[in-house]
Amino acid sequence: MSQFWSEVVKGLTPYIPGEQPKIQNLIKLNTNENPYGPSPKVIAALQAVANDALRLYPDPDSGRLKAAIAEYYGLGTNQVFVGNGSDEVLAHVFQALLKHEKPLLFPDITYSFYPVYCGLYGIQSEQIPLNADFEIDLADYAKPNGGIIFPNPNAPTGIPLGLQAIEALLKTNTESVVVIDEAYVDFGTESAVGLINRYPNLLVVQTLSKARSLAGLRVGYALGNKALIEALVRVKDSFNSYPIDRFAEAGAIAALQDKAYFEETRQKVMASRAALVLALRAMGFEVLPSGANFIFARHPQHDAAELAQKLREQNIIVRHFKQPARIAQFLRITIGDELQVQRLVAALKTLV
Ligand SMILES: Cc1ncc(COP(=O)(O)O)c(C=O)c1O
């Protein structure tokens, strides 16, 4: 605290990102990164832009990237917004579309950045409890609201929601924006992108950080009706004209174009997930159904914090959330490659 801080800063409760330790030979299963590197075509595209043109600002509209995203999803370029990671896109969404007189609704157990943005932008919110099976029940969102946001699949549970439930919500909730944060959608969850042209209040947010292995490049995007996109552009152009640098634009385009690599790596992650779930259940873990590149699991006889600590002593890092109490006995484990999964399973076998 300092006399120089503004009132806003004094009142903030910032997001705490997962650890990025500098330890060698670590099996890092704590921040849902992809165990496989980006496509070799992305690396080549990045090398190709390491040249004299870096002295020039990038395209403030990221026109080539927007065109590549629009083509990929069969949308118009005016239905695409891009930003510096989906966290930045989400921040603009909260400010541009979710700040209203009525409260914003989101699940009580979800991506912990949502309440942080509410704090930053002074948005009132109401947290809707997950049901007894840790699922989002969209029937519980049928109440007056200034907007609705949830991840699909949800994080940190990993549980996916079907499109039928989402469409039922969109049919009734027509007076506020519904934002679906599809950060992990490519690992076996149905995307709502196909509904965009039918529901003008639907905004879908995605990222290249997960299934495209580009967490380090920072590219995310929102897809929706052109009026929603225009609101985001207005905020972006009041904040930072150049969120996508020359590397990010070139790498992101190459990643979207290499569909074969994307398909191969996401299938490998899903196969490792299936193997891990089987092994964990055989050891007595309860594992929630996952449509993501992580699983959420608890063991009836072993304390989650202790398990996380003992794994760390074996150089394996997973994520444990002390709060809320309802999930304090769960571990969130990112799906690693085949060898990492084997080493995790071997380590757990010595502990449970
Ligand atoms: C649900 C969810 N949404 C969005 C993000 C942000 O991803 P990025 O800013 O890397 O695009 C994350 C990151 O872990 C996430 O878990």
Side-chain angles (χ1 to χ4, degrees), residues 128-306:
I128 311 288
L130 297 184
N131 71 15
D133 295 324
F134 296 95
E135 296 161 340
I136 294 172
D137 186 345
L138 290 179
D140 297 338
Y141 291 69
K143 51 168 75 182
N145 68 76
I148 295 176
I149 182 166
F150 57 89
N152 193 31
N154 194 15
T157 64
I159 300 178
L161 261 179
L163 275 193
Q164 253 186 335
I166 288 171
E167 196 162 8
L169 173 77
L170 290 165
K171 279 193 175 131
T172 51
N173 192 92
T174 54
E175 300 302 307
S176 69
V177 174
V178 174
V179 182
I180 307 184
D181 177 355
E182 294 190 337
Y184 302 101
V185 75
D186 294 311
F187 301 104
T189 297
E190 285 178 286
S191 171
V193 170
L195 301 177
I196 282 170
N197 284 332
R198 277 189 280 143
Y199 298 95
N201 60 331
L202 169 63
L203 192 79
V204 176
V205 177
Q206 292 199 3
T207 177
L208 298 188
S209 297
K210 311 296 180 181
R212 262 96 182 176
S213 308
L214 286 174
L217 201 66
R218 313 304 302 129
V219 180
Y221 45 95
L223 308 169
N225 183 276
K226 67 179 179 20
L228 303 185
I229 300 302
E230 194 185 334
L232 298 175
V233 172
R234 287 170 73 92
V235 170
K236 173 238 166 203
D237 285 335
S238 307
F239 177 78
N240 176 7
S241 310
Y242 307 105
I244 304 286
D245 63 50
R246 287 173 176 271
F247 286 100
E249 183 165 43
I253 292 169
L256 287 162
Q257 286 173 346
D258 195 347
K259 292 183 185 167
Y261 186 83
F262 162 71
E263 199 52 44
E264 181 193 324
T265 48
R266 81 185 182 105
Q267 292 298 344
K268 283 204 272 192
V269 170
M270 288 192 286
S272 289
R273 181 180 67 204
L276 177 61
V277 171
L278 268 184
L280 290 177
R281 289 196 176 134
M283 280 185 260
F285 278 92
E286 178 196 350
V287 188
L288 301 187
S290 171
N293 69 337
F294 57 86
I295 54 102
F296 208 47
R298 65 179 163 189
H299 197 288
Q301 278 108 38
H302 293 274
D303 180 68
E306 239 171 73

Side-chain angles (χ1 to χ4, degrees), residues 39-85:
S39 152
K41 290 182 182 162
V42 170
I43 308 299
L46 295 178
Q47 283 163 346
V49 289
N51 60 37
D52 178 69
L54 282 173
R55 68 196 171 76
L56 303 172
Y57 284 105
D59 172 9
D61 290 327
S62 309
R64 287 178 52 240
L65 175 56
K66 277 192 198 166
I69 294 171
E71 189 194 325
Y72 188 90
Y73 293 99
L75 295 169
T77 50
N78 59 2
Q79 293 175 295
V80 179
F81 176 79
V82 294
N84 186 259

Side-chain angles (χ1 to χ4, degrees), residues 13-45:
T13 311
Y15 175 76
I16 303 167
E19 247 186 299
Q20 296 291 350
K22 306 282 178 291
I23 307 162
Q24 298 273 306
N25 300 324
L26 193 69
I27 299 190
K28 192 176 170 305
L29 307 176
N30 66 328
T31 47
N32 300 339
E33 287 136 336
N34 201 308
Y36 304 103
S39 152
K41 290 182 182 162
V42 170
I43 308 299

